[in-house]
Amino acid sequence: VSTQSTWDSQNKPMEGKVHTLWLLAVLMLAFTCVAIPRKAQKTLVLHDNMGFIDAHSIFFDTLKKHNHTLKFEKYHEKVDIMSYGDYIYDNIIFFLPSGIKGPGSNSIKPPFHSQSSILNFFDAPDKNIMIVADSAIYSYTRKLSNEFGVDFDPQGSIVKDRVLSNTIIASNTLDESTDIISKTEGVLYYGIGLRLDSNNHRVFPLLKPNTSAYSIDDKNNLVNEGPNIALVAGYQGLNNNRVTIAGSTLMCSNIAITKTAKGNSPKTSPNYVFCEELIEWNFKESGIIKAENVVHKRVDESEVMPSEYCIKSLVEYTVDLFEWNKKTGKWVAFNNADPQLEFVMLDPYYRIPLVQTEPNKPSYTAQLKTPDRLGVFQFKINYTRPGYTSLDMSTKVSVRQPHFDEMPRFMWAAIPYYVSVFITMIGFFFFVIMLMFSKNTTKDKSAQTLCNKHYRLTID
């Protein structure tokens, strides 16, 4: 016993230090995870030619400025992306412009990583993929892109413009449904066109050509034209992981950035601006939203977050929506007019817009009247918009019948019934009293007459 107590006394200071260090580590981890979405990321770049690294040095320097640790490997060499059940890398970039054919297509060096292994990587939490190709698209890249609702034009096809240029087009039309990428004009693009699956609501265009653009194959046959062509596509999964697919390796190259720059700085180039914003969205530095401070209550009461409501109650729902500002590095109010609130039991009974209380304020509110239906309902927000992380949150409440004291109009209407009940009780009470203490004279006279008759018969 003395030995144990001595050991405890000697190690108590060390134990306190361990607990303190552990607490500090947890607090630092929480601060890192919550406060700043941008974190150090390990990115694997798979390529087929070392020369493209120098040709895209500005692009890769931009990645490094955004806290990416890059590792360059050839696509056909053995590269482990998983170690002891955990993925080593946060992102994978495919720079496969030419010379790559999928397995079984006369490829001298088929890709090392199968399509299923890349899809498993994408299904893991916080994993993103970028695919960059050009007119020499082959089966491996095409099949991988098909999994994300994107298909390329036939191999050897190229996008041209009837007005601006014969081969290189300047795109200034972006998808109007999202503002995660600024409306940059004059992005030089030379490559193959994309087709998006109209039935896949997770994929959307990030860069479109002018309406005068068209796509032809290597035999000058028209393949696609106008608004059906996409140049760069974005895909966001149910787990908020992101994929970008581009059909041009020239778009983010040093040649395109230098040619479109308005001065000596590459940052003045529309191609540089677009490629940097593409990096920020693809690797979750923009388009990030979150919800906090959910409150629901009856309009005429001060109690918040009750577990049940009466039918036909007027309820107010409030939530704060924030968006990460990549420029300031802070959470700011999410300014958008389309968030909706649903009141659901199996199917939505209400689907109403959430209205921003004040401009540039994060608070959104909505009011609804609970339906005349008993059961368990949910306040639900399911916000899925192209380019933004999805919000899926719900709060359960019960809807019940009103208590007798919650509807005063029934108390006034019941007064005649209450009066009739008391009148009946009082009347019955007096009836019993009168029955117990009253004398029945008719019955007494009849009994006396019978007695006299019986007496006379006895004498006779």
Side-chain angles (χ1 to χ4, degrees), residues 22-36 39:
W22 174 253
L23 180 59
L24 289 174
V26 171
L27 291 175
M28 291 177 63
L29 179 61
F31 177 79
T32 303
C33 295
V34 175
I36 305 177
K39 57 184 178 63

Side-chain angles (χ1 to χ4, degrees), residues 236-296:
Q236 183 166 278
L238 294 174
N239 56 0
N240 287 327
N241 289 350
R242 295 172 176 176
V243 179
T244 55
I245 302 174
S248 172
T249 56
L250 178 70
M251 181 180 62
C252 295
S253 66
N254 296 351
I255 296 176
I257 293 175
T258 304
K259 187 173 183 178
T260 57
K262 299 178 181 179
N264 296 328
S265 174
K267 295 184 179 181
T268 60
S269 167
N271 285 62
Y272 179 88
V273 174
F274 177 79
C275 292
E276 184 177 25
E277 292 181 346
L278 191 66
I279 290 172
E280 292 171 345
W281 182 83
N282 195 169
F283 303 123
K284 297 180 183 177
E285 297 178 26
S286 65
I288 305 172
I289 57 176
K290 69 173 182 177
E292 291 183 351
N293 304 325
V294 175
V295 175
H296 59 84

Side-chain angles (χ1 to χ4, degrees), residues 160-194:
K160 296 185 177 182
D161 195 289
R162 294 184 177 92
V163 178
L164 298 176
S165 176
N166 187 28
T167 55
I168 298 179
I169 65 170
S171 173
N172 58 6
T173 305
L174 291 173
D175 183 41
E176 63 276 2
S177 64
T178 177
D179 58 355
I180 57 173
I181 293 180
S182 59
K183 306 299 186 290
T184 306
E185 296 185 1
V187 178
L188 294 184
Y189 184 97
Y190 180 80
I192 194 170
L194 312 179

